Amino acid sequence: MNSEVNEWYRGRHVLVTGASGLMGKVLIEKMLYSVPDIGCVYALVRSKRGKTPESRIEDMWKLPLFSRIREEKPHMMKKLVPVSGDIMYDNLGVDPKVLEQIYNEVSVVFHFAASLRLEAPLKEGLEMNTKGTMRVLDVAKRIKNLVSFVHLSTAFCYPDYSRMAEKVHDPPANPHEVLRAASWLTDEQVNLLTPSMLQAHANSYTYSKRLAETLVKEQYPDLPVCVVRPSIVTPSYKEPIEGWVDNLNGPVGLMVGAGKGVIRSMHCIGHYHAEVIPVDIAINAIIVIPYHINSLPERSPEIPVFNLTSGDDRDTTWKEVLDVGKATVRKYPFEGPLWYPDGNIRHNKFIHSICVLFFHILPAYLIDFLMLIFGQKRFMVRIQNRISVGLEVLQYFTTREWWFDTNNFKALSTRLNAADTKNFPMDLKIIEVEPYIESCMLGAKMFCLKEKLENLPKARLQNNILYVLDLLVTAFVFYLLPLYLLATYVEPFRMVLSFGGPFVRYLPLVGKAVFTEG
């Protein structure tokens, strides 16, 4: 049976913004591999760190992500056309001749480019995520044969709703007025106004993405636009490689930080559900969406919206994720850990804060003090400050329950034939939690940290040594030292301990404090 999705894309030219990001790269790889009759893919890439878009694409081809294309379909690499541009500029900063070519040839636009820094200043988020979307829409208006514009949003951009419907709700403010104000206000002025502007939003990312959705909605039905909202995107489930990931954002960064012994406590409500989606499952849905919308008998009266989330089908909690993650990192430990990976999640914010003080802040200052004594560069306090900011942002998503309607998302697979159902799997219920989390940890280890599996014996030895050291330090700091202080300065407590006989007598520090000479 032939792929109807491939037939729909046959000869079509596609424009992808944010092509160098995780989702952009996975989208390009999947389209070139599973949609072989596509015309070409224009990849909008900006120059970065002295590298041209062409050289960045060349580097991208060398990634393990593209190994199956290099080995099985190397001719498809010719269908990827790098375009030098940046959504921070009008006309996306694209050369006029190339832009004219895009106007004449492109029929599908995937707008992925965005600032993913949750802690970014509001002005940065507005410029990149909101105004950047406006610039891409302006280009799309001039595309002569546009049949689909897919805007990548986020499932968490409506925190003031207890349940997220598959529709674009009203924004907290007019995005045009917000952009106008941000254009003439200074950074300091915007920062002062940020709390009152964000309202229910915990960060600039969800706020700016919500305003961007409104801009996209304004173009419907004049433009064939739609909105897709993935939840927290995690490493690939199967394609093209199990556990593929190229950044340490979100839960992956948390797992690595915990596995390295740097993160020892996180504020999280363990019985709340983990709302995540593997990147390849999300990309499968995104590729199918233009075909799906254009195969419907009539156009929807409202802009199509797809919540790419597990919705009501989920049953995995954050505690389960933590437990499996801890077991995995002990089975496949990271190299050069700072301490034994034995962190935990804590429901109570006060207890979490105490743990952060003892397990994060004080050790960081101690390590930097030792670095200062030995004439080395200090780094630990700076790293812990960055971790604290990242944790504060991530904890917004792990300390509340999220609910989503997913009818439109689920309807995608019902319209696929057998070939496309196999090519573009979207069923989240088939994912087994333990093997998947294990593949995520191994993916972070191999693809982000560049650690080799043949070094596992050495890493396990380091892990075992730190385990013993962790037991000794924990016993001293949290048991022996408090008992010693109490026995030294609290007479009734010393009398109670004296009944411990030989056991207490031979405890380090404590025995001498209880059984004093004379």
Side-chain angles (χ1 to χ4, degrees), residues 223-481:
L223 285 181
V225 295
C226 68
V227 173
V228 295
R229 300 185 186 128
S231 55
I232 299 174
V233 177
T234 50
S236 61
Y237 170 55
K238 290 294 183 184
E239 292 186 284
I241 306 171
E242 289 187 18
W244 167 259
V245 65
D246 68 350
N247 64 67
L248 296 179
N249 295 331
V252 174
L254 178 63
M255 289 179 176
V256 170
K260 288 283 191 178
V262 179
I263 299 176
R264 307 276 292 178
S265 181
M266 180 177 178
H267 185 212
C268 174
I269 301 180
H271 64 270
Y272 281 1
H273 294 93
E275 186 53 82
V276 299
I277 185 169
V279 62
D280 53 333
I281 301 293
I283 290 301
N284 287 340
I286 289 170
I287 292 174
V288 169
I289 283 170
Y291 155 79
H292 170 82
I293 293 175
N294 283 274
S295 64
L296 295 175
E298 59 183 26
R299 177 173 286 193
S300 168
E302 292 189 4
I303 178 174
V305 178
F306 301 83
N307 289 338
L308 308 186
T309 70
S310 52
D312 296 334
D313 295 330
R314 62 190 174 177
D315 56 5
T316 304
T317 65
W318 288 114
K319 186 179 185 307
E320 291 177 79
V321 172
L322 173 73
D323 291 343
V324 175
K326 288 170 72 172
T328 302
V329 83
R330 288 165 186 165
K331 183 178 179 182
Y332 302 104
F334 295 115
E335 297 175 22
L338 185 68
W339 199 254
Y340 181 70
D342 194 31
N344 214 328
I345 57 176
R346 289 166 176 90
H347 177 99
N348 187 285
K349 184 68 179 286
F350 177 71
I351 294 176
H352 162 70
S353 300
I354 293 176
C355 291
V356 166
L357 174 65
F358 282 100
F359 294 137
H360 291 185
I361 298 174
L362 293 181
Y365 277 98
L366 175 61
I367 291 172
D368 274 6
F369 177 68
L370 293 175
M371 291 289 127
L372 178 65
I373 291 176
F374 292 107
Q376 302 296 315
K377 185 178 180 180
R378 290 168 289 173
F379 65 94
M380 202 60 219
V381 172
R382 175 171 47 84
I383 290 177
Q384 276 298 347
N385 287 337
R386 290 176 59 186
I387 288 174
S388 296
V389 172
L391 281 178
E392 193 66 33
V393 173
L394 187 60
Q395 286 160 181
Y396 169 70
F397 301 99
T398 60
T399 54
R400 60 174 291 179
E401 195 78 281
W402 301 87
W403 299 100
F404 304 95
D405 291 338
T406 56
N407 294 330
N408 292 345
F409 174 34
K410 290 180 179 178
L412 294 174
S413 57
T414 63
R415 299 184 64 86
L416 299 180
N417 63 18
D420 287 324
T421 299
K422 181 180 179 180
N423 286 339
F424 305 99
M426 290 175 268
D427 187 1
L428 293 169
K429 290 184 289 185
I430 66 172
I431 299 176
E432 297 181 42
V433 176
E434 291 189 22
Y436 175 63
I437 293 178
E438 186 170 296
S439 73
C440 291
M441 298 290 284
L442 286 173
K445 180 180 179 68
M446 293 186 294
F447 304 127
C448 292
L449 302 181
K450 312 298 182 185
E451 296 180 2
K452 298 179 180 179
L453 294 183
E454 48 262 40
N455 294 334
L456 274 175
K458 179 181 177 182
R460 286 174 179 146
L461 177 61
Q462 293 173 335
N463 209 49
N464 292 337
I465 293 173
L466 287 175
Y467 173 69
V468 174
L469 189 60
D470 180 66
L471 287 178
L472 293 175
V473 171
T474 300
F476 178 78
V477 173
F478 292 99
Y479 297 99
L480 295 179
L481 184 59

Side-chain angles (χ1 to χ4, degrees), residues 193-238:
L193 293 172
T194 293
S196 61
M197 295 174 69
L198 293 184
Q199 298 178 26
H201 293 264
N203 54 71
S204 64
Y205 174 70
T206 59
Y207 179 78
S208 59
K209 295 295 277 186
R210 180 172 180 173
L211 296 184
E213 281 196 10
T214 301
L215 296 177
V216 175
K217 179 184 177 182
E218 289 175 351
Q219 303 303 320
Y220 191 82
D222 296 330
L223 285 181
V225 295
C226 68
V227 173
V228 295
R229 300 185 186 128
S231 55
I232 299 174
V233 177
T234 50
S236 61
Y237 170 55
K238 290 294 183 184

Side-chain angles (χ1 to χ4, degrees), residues 77-120:
M77 297 165 74
K78 297 178 182 178
K79 294 193 175 186
L80 180 61
V81 180
V83 175
S84 179
D86 191 334
I87 66 168
M88 298 290 281
Y89 301 99
D90 292 338
N91 294 323
L92 310 184
V94 177
D95 180 87
K97 291 183 179 179
V98 178
L99 201 58
E100 192 64 31
Q101 195 174 346
I102 290 173
Y103 293 152
N104 293 328
E105 297 181 3
V106 167
S107 59
V108 180
V109 175
F110 294 100
H111 174 41
F112 284 10
S115 170
L116 301 180
R117 290 180 59 222
L118 301 182
E119 74 280 8

